[in-house]
Amino acid sequence: MFTLDGAFCVHIADDVRARIGAMPGISGCELDIPARVLLVTAEAPVDRAEVLAVLRTTGCPVRG
């Protein structure tokens, strides 16, 4: 689970879902925009740093 910081639009949310959902090992990606929470489920180990890198490139900073 990732807590996102700052505001972002639906287009960015769709981009996040598409990019993270396409990562190897990811089986699900749910983004709750009002709560600013991203829940990622995986069927294989996924490097958290890789998910964070995708979030940075899409303009979704992570809190903490």
Side-chain angles (χ1 to χ4, degrees):
M1 184 172 81
F2 299 86
T3 303
L4 307 177
D5 196 20
F8 52 91
C9 68
V10 174
H11 299 291
I12 291 175
D14 289 342
D15 192 26
V16 167
R17 286 185 195 103
R19 289 182 187 211
I20 292 177
M23 291 175 67
I26 300 291
S27 59
C29 178
E30 297 179 38
L31 179 57
D32 183 337
I33 295 173
R36 295 184 179 136
V37 171
L38 174 69
L39 179 62
V40 177
T41 53
E43 54 192 30
V46 175
D47 186 350
R48 183 176 177 86
E50 290 180 21
V51 175
L52 290 171
V54 170
L55 291 171
R56 276 192 300 276
T57 62
T58 57
C60 286
V62 175
R63 187 178 306 157

